[in-house]
Amino acid sequence: MHPETRFDNYFKSAFTVDSVIFGFDEGALKILLIRRSEAPFDDYWALPGYFVRQDEDLDEAAQRTLRETTGLENVYLEQLQTFGSPGRHDFGRVITVAYYSLVKIADFTPRADGLSRDVRWHDLSALPDLAFDHNEIVGTATEKLKRSIRTRPVGFELLPPEFTLTDLQHLYEAIWETRLEKRNFRKKILSMQLLVDLERMQEGVAHRPARLYRFDEQRYQELTQEGFNFELREGKSR
Amino acid sequence: MHPETRFDNYFKSAFTVDSVIFGFDEGALKILLIRRSEAPFDDYWALPGYFVRQDEDLDEAAQRTLRETTGLENVYLEQLQTFGSPGRHDFGRVITVAYYSLVKIADFTPRADGLSRDVRWHDLSALPDLAFDHNEIVGTATEKLKRSIRTRPVGFELLPPEFTLTDLQHLYEAIWETRLEKRNFRKKILSMQLLVDLERMQEGVAHRPARLYRFDEQRYQELTQEGFNFELREGKSR
């Protein structure tokens, strides 16, 4: 396509897309990983992703490769960052455009396919050695999530539709990897007028039932747009 | 390098880096543009940038291409987003990793070189038709800047070391493309304890001299880390 051979040397690269999919379950932050079925890093755990086709948009490639490796469809993916160290791929120069998303684990049933031997949620706190620079990509995504919940609400994407204040506190604690002071957390969260009290209690739990809440969707969108400062630093234990 | 021909078709792409350099002068937000000296888009204004070499890291390529097209060195560049529509480049599949930065205009003397016929600061509010999808990239960078100053301080990178409250207000007004109510703005800014009163007035100005301030660098870094909510929406005229 290009008329001059002096550009030829630039047209020898490839690019991939990789997705960091966060979920939250049993009080722990999790990431969806696939076990690779081809070289390089055959049999390693890795982020869902693959090469981008010549005629394919990046966002479209992220959706397709996520579907083809995990079965997940229609996930809201946002670009995280592009990683492109010269030595990061054994086959040549390959840069990867990383995406990330927060999802409700219960909404999806991941399944492996030809490009993945296995697909599974892994605790973020106990990740194996991942293929390529994928541990670094997960680290970047996690830092971004940690920072973002200081000025934006979180939970709508990760919690079930009805949840307790303890569920929400556990989510913040899992992301910040810390313990928060209960009274302080509740006071702050309730003052934001983000939650709707469902005026019902949990059912079928072994402990004393707690009050159920849902997010006020309009207020949630407003706070996502406007931002706020979630001043809980003083309540942190480290 | 890769052992199997089925991957050959992926290794036919190129990538570039492009930088959105914001500056602020005479009350207006500006962007540094180069006039291209080769096809495609010969003679068009464009963002500073070029092809990434095979053995070069992305951040390194961003620094090099900025230097080689504008003469600017040691600029703090942050990744913005990667743009990769299949049809965006005439020579084949080329994705671009966009970077952005805020700089003090007075700190640099841009100069054109072999890859650029000219280099000049342009008012953001009156940009020409740029090469490739560069208008879209500038739009994305501008939106990000607008959002970020709602939860992070701005000005340290764009204003001279000593400035007046009016200078700072003009910066916010230029970024938000709106007028702010003076009393409200001052009250809010001063309450953040971000500014150090130099206890001196401007000299050699035609109007009544105003008080000079500088940023408290430590407080600036704290607020950049922690975030805040800059509640001035009610003061906006649109």
Side-chain angles (χ1 to χ4, degrees), chain A residues 24-42:
Chain A
F24 180 70
D25 201 16
E26 294 167 5
L29 199 59
K30 292 175 190 264
I31 285 184
L32 190 64
L33 297 176
I34 63 167
R35 201 147 62 84
R36 289 175 57 86
S37 66
E38 63 178 34
F41 291 102
D42 187 14

Side-chain angles (χ1 to χ4, degrees), chain B residues 168-174 176 178-185 230 232-233 235-237:
Chain B
L168 189 56
Q169 182 174 338
H170 285 166
L171 173 61
Y172 275 85
E173 289 179 338
W176 275 335
T178 192
R179 291 258 162 187
L180 298 169
E181 204 267 306
K182 181 170 162 178
R183 206 169 139 263
N184 208 358
F185 177 80
F230 200 73
L232 274 175
R233 310 305 284 177
K236 296 180 79 174
S237 62

Side-chain angles (χ1 to χ4, degrees), chain A residues 13 53 56 79 82 93, chain B residues 13 53 56 79 82 93:
Chain A
S13 303
R53 294 176 184 152
E56 192 179 36
Q79 243 194 58
T82 295
R93 187 72 193 270
Chain B
S13 303
R53 294 176 184 153
E56 190 179 38
Q79 243 194 59
T82 295
R93 187 71 193 270

Side-chain angles (χ1 to χ4, degrees), chain A residues 162-177:
Chain A
E162 305 187 352
F163 52 86
T164 66
L165 290 179
T166 302
D167 292 336
L168 188 56
Q169 181 175 340
H170 285 166
L171 173 61
Y172 275 85
E173 290 178 340
I175 293 174
W176 275 334
E177 297 175 85

